[in-house]
Amino acid sequence: MAGGTKRLPRAVREQQMLDAAVEVFARKGFHDTSMDAIAAEAKISKPMLYLYYGSKDELFRACIQREGLRFIEAVAPAGNPHLTPHEQVRTALEGFLDFVDRNRQSWQVLYRQAIGQQAFASEIDNARERVIELTAKLLESSAKNAEPGTNFEVVAAAVIGAGEAIADRVASGRIEVAEAVDLLDDLAWRGLAGRKKTE
């Protein structure tokens, strides 16, 4: 155990543990991660880790909650009421993909690891549905030429699904954030532009 850690404030120690847990979960996956490995990464004893987080499930849930809050903070500027709905969607895309680019391990834990675990999948699904609902409302507010009867919720689900696939590419370094934002922005609005009528 590293010297000096005994005097750290509880909140600081908790963040160090979560940092270490995100690192190890992202690298090894949920099933192959042990509390021993996380304790070693955090440079603390395993009993201390269990004192703060009683089980691996509890620790993983704490990681999801913290990274989820960080993600929400990243996209929060999209809620600026002075932006047009289109600008809000683009701002959300920029915040989302920039977050993924700067926090690639967080994306692995939030999306790849959590979605594959039955105990945590419902939390991710619920959050995803809220994002889809919000996106649908923004698209509907600004889609001037959409086809009558357009199902904006389905369109939003398609955009979010594409966004998750593109985020994987951002996280792996296969596409730059700016290019990814342009691609998704174009995808959303072209899909809602409506087919031009021929005489």
Side-chain angles (χ1 to χ4, degrees):
M1 184 164 62
T5 58
K6 291 182 179 179
R7 295 181 181 174
L8 286 176
R10 182 181 179 91
V12 174
R13 198 193 304 274
E14 285 176 347
Q15 293 308 307
Q16 289 184 343
M17 291 178 186
L18 291 175
D19 288 343
V22 167
E23 163 77 28
V24 180
F25 281 130
R27 190 171 65 237
K28 294 189 171 187
F30 179 78
H31 287 298
D32 291 336
T33 291
S34 67
M35 294 293 268
D36 288 284
I38 294 171
E41 182 73 25
K43 297 181 174 61
I44 60 171
S45 67
K46 188 165 72 168
M48 179 176 286
L49 183 60
Y50 274 110
L51 180 65
Y52 279 71
Y53 301 99
S55 68
K56 186 169 77 168
D57 280 10
E58 183 181 331
L59 178 55
F60 191 68
R61 182 168 280 106
C63 289
I64 293 173
Q65 291 170 347
R66 187 189 74 166
E67 300 311 301
L69 287 174
R70 293 176 66 202
F71 170 74
I72 290 169
E73 289 172 1
V75 300
N80 184 344
H82 298 294
L83 299 177
T84 67
H86 189 171
E87 289 170 337
Q88 287 180 318
V89 171
R90 186 171 180 90
T91 300
L93 289 173
E94 290 169 344
F96 165 47
L97 293 172
D98 187 58
F99 172 84
V100 172
D101 188 47
R102 289 183 294 104
N103 303 278
R104 297 181 181 188
Q105 293 170 331
S106 296
W107 175 248
Q108 284 292 325
V109 170
L110 273 174
Y111 185 64
R112 285 301 178 197
Q113 301 297 331
I115 204 72
Q117 305 303 319
Q118 190 62 39
F120 310 106
S122 62
E123 296 177 35
I124 302 301
D125 286 341
N126 289 338
R128 191 173 186 270
E129 285 303 312
R130 289 196 298 272
V131 172
I132 289 172
E133 182 181 346
L134 174 61
T135 303
K137 288 178 180 176
L138 292 174
L139 293 175
E140 186 171 9
S141 296
S142 57
K144 306 301 183 185
N145 301 310
E147 289 288 313
T150 296
N151 189 328
F152 288 95
E153 186 172 325
V154 170
V155 175
V159 172
I160 297 303
E164 290 165 348
I166 294 297
D168 280 343
R169 290 183 172 269
V170 169
S172 65
R174 287 181 284 174
I175 185 171
E176 296 295 323
V177 170
E179 182 184 355
V181 170
D182 286 342
L183 191 156
L184 288 171
D185 189 49
D186 190 53
L187 175 67
W189 302 110
R190 280 198 181 195
L192 291 169
R195 294 188 296 275
K196 292 184 178 178
K197 305 293 185 184
T198 56
E199 299 296 334

